Amino acid sequence: IWVASGYYTPGNSVTDSFRLKNGVEMYGGFEGQEASPSLRPPPSLLNQTILSGDLQENDVIGNETTLGDNSYHVVTADGISSNTLLDRFTIRDGYAVGTGLNVHGAGMLILNGAAPVVRGCTLLHNIAAAEGGAVHVAGASTPVFESCWFQANSALAGAALDSVGSAVVVENSLLSGNAGFAGAVMSRSGSSDLYVNCTIAGNSGGAVDTVNASPTFENSIVFGNIYNDSQGLLPSWQHSLVQDSGGADWNGGAGKDLEGNLDADPLFLNPLTDEASPTVEGDYRLRPGSPAINNGLNTLVNVSHDLAGATRIVDVTVDMGAYEGGFARDFAYLFPELAAGGDFNGNGRSNFFDYSEGYDPTQPVPLPSSGMFEEGTRVVRFSVRTDADDVRLWLEGSPNMTPGSWQGLDY
């Protein structure tokens, strides 16, 4: 099934949900003229296929009093096989605040041996009263999440993903800005979950919570989260960057060291603190010089491209986390027609500089909030302040930059 970009809800009742059919492949992100899924345009805000639990389209983000009429579970997968695919959908606005199972899995509820493949999907703004804000997996289920974003979800525990007696695989994915009291991801009751080339960062309530389960993390980065907790069994780590693990001087309280682990600042491009969650903000690509670059293990990799769509292995050895290499590699992949030192948008800064600051170098870039520039012999200093409902610009001029010679200019 090919689904056009747009906004879709599962019905009119809080118990309504998009229920995946066994063996059906669903592809989102179409504009309408494509002859195959491979001809879809690259993912963007303009071509999202949104599956939303906001049935009345009246949500106010951050105001839970507006969410009471939302679906308990936006998507449900019950007993379906691995031939079932959900590709390039945004799953959002679930509100699991009922009773029984309806307090888990606001974004996705996966039960009874279900094994769907979820690829290129975004799960955000899902809230559960108990465990599993974005996803709750139970009943010996074995779903695979590939190249997905789990962001701004909330729950008591496992705000991004909660696994009970199951075996979840999450690969090439970002789990950031999720909020809860215990773990962005939670494994319990004998789950044997696997995370490969994942970045787990900026989550409140910690990154990983285990209760009698031992998930494994490979080629992954876990950094910038507050608090982790393990009861009974501990996670296993291989070729991963794990904050407070001790790295080569391994701290046994972090779990089992399977080799090649690090404990260092990964040098994210623009990380946010866990206090900012729930949020979709933050940029967790790697800066040049990151210790995560070229320190993964190639034999653990099962995908050809990273989360940004760039080649997954560069310079012979795979990098840790969801993004491959310094963002210079992303620039070369995303803008092959642009010279790094050129100035396509004419703002006086190089294309690569604009990109490294988080801007699209092919589009106009906002001026900095303050600065100084010269024209002829006159020097102008400026500052911009953004208020709730306006923008105020203040200019001062000086013929020679002498203290006391600055004067306000009309604007």
Side-chain angles (χ1 to χ4, degrees), residues 219 239-240 260 262 290-297 317-320:
N219 286 357
H239 282 269
S240 293
L262 304 176
S290 167
I293 294 176
N294 294 333
N295 267 314
L297 186 62
T317 304
V318 69
D319 301 338
M320 298 173 175

Side-chain angles (χ1 to χ4, degrees), residues 34 107 135 138 171 174 187 237 243 249 277 311 324 348 350 354 362 373-374 396 398 402:
E34 298 88 352
V135 180
E171 186 166 16
L174 172 67
S187 295
W237 307 90
Q243 188 173 17
D249 299 319
S277 60
T311 300
E324 182 71 15
S350 73
D354 285 342
T362 66
F373 61 89
E374 296 183 47
E396 292 180 314
S398 168
T402 303

Side-chain angles (χ1 to χ4, degrees), residues 43-250:
S44 76
L45 293 176
L46 300 178
N47 62 10
Q48 293 184 82
T49 301
I50 299 173
L51 307 181
S52 174
D54 182 10
L55 304 179
Q56 307 304 321
E57 299 184 36
N58 61 352
D59 285 9
V60 177
I61 300 300
N63 182 356
E64 282 201 43
T65 62
T66 66
L67 309 182
D69 52 8
N70 288 25
S71 293
Y72 290 143
H73 321 287
V74 180
V75 176
T76 299
D78 191 348
I80 58 177
S81 73
S82 59
N83 293 324
T84 309
L85 172 67
L86 198 62
D87 183 285
R88 266 183 61 177
F89 288 84
T90 296
I91 302 167
R92 58 174 299 162
D93 307 321
Y95 192 57
V97 292
T99 59
L101 278 176
N102 294 331
V103 295
H104 307 285
M108 290 191 71
L109 185 66
I110 302 175
L111 305 170
N112 298 321
V117 176
V118 182
R119 185 170 62 208
C121 289
T122 299
L123 297 104
L124 77 159
H125 296 308
N126 299 290
I127 300 175
E131 298 86 2
V135 180
H136 174 73
V137 183
S141 295
T142 57
V144 174
F145 292 85
E146 179 187 312
S147 299
C148 292
W149 292 261
F150 300 76
Q151 295 182 292
N153 302 288
S154 302
L156 179 67
L161 193 152
D162 173 46
S163 174
V164 184
S166 295
V168 182
V169 175
V170 184
E171 186 166 16
N172 217 49
S173 296
L174 172 67
L175 303 91
S176 71
N178 301 287
F181 292 100
V185 298
M186 187 172 193
S187 295
R188 51 195 176 113
S189 303
S191 283
S192 54
D193 305 318
L194 174 64
Y195 294 81
V196 183
N197 277 108
C198 290
T199 296
I200 305 176
N203 302 285
S204 68
V208 182
D209 189 56
T210 64
V211 180
N212 296 320
S214 181
T216 298
F217 296 82
E218 300 173 341
N219 286 357
S220 293
I221 299 175
V222 177
F223 193 89
N225 311 278
I226 184 170
Y227 180 72
N228 291 294
D229 186 42
S230 296
Q231 301 175 40
L233 302 176
L234 294 171
S236 296
W237 307 90
Q238 184 175 20
H239 282 269
S240 293
L241 190 156
V242 189
Q243 188 173 17
D244 297 330
S245 67
D249 299 319
W250 188 257

Side-chain angles (χ1 to χ4, degrees), residues 299-314:
T299 56
L300 303 175
V301 179
N302 297 307
V303 297
S304 59
H305 293 83
D306 73 357
L307 191 57
T311 300
R312 179 67 266 192
I313 299 178
V314 179

Side-chain angles (χ1 to χ4, degrees), residues 370-392:
S370 63
M372 188 177 298
F373 61 89
E374 296 183 47
E375 184 169 352
T377 59
R378 191 166 184 81
V379 181
V380 176
R381 180 170 62 193
F382 68 93
S383 63
V384 179
R385 187 183 78 200
T386 303
D387 294 323
D389 57 1
D390 68 347
V391 176
R392 298 179 180 178

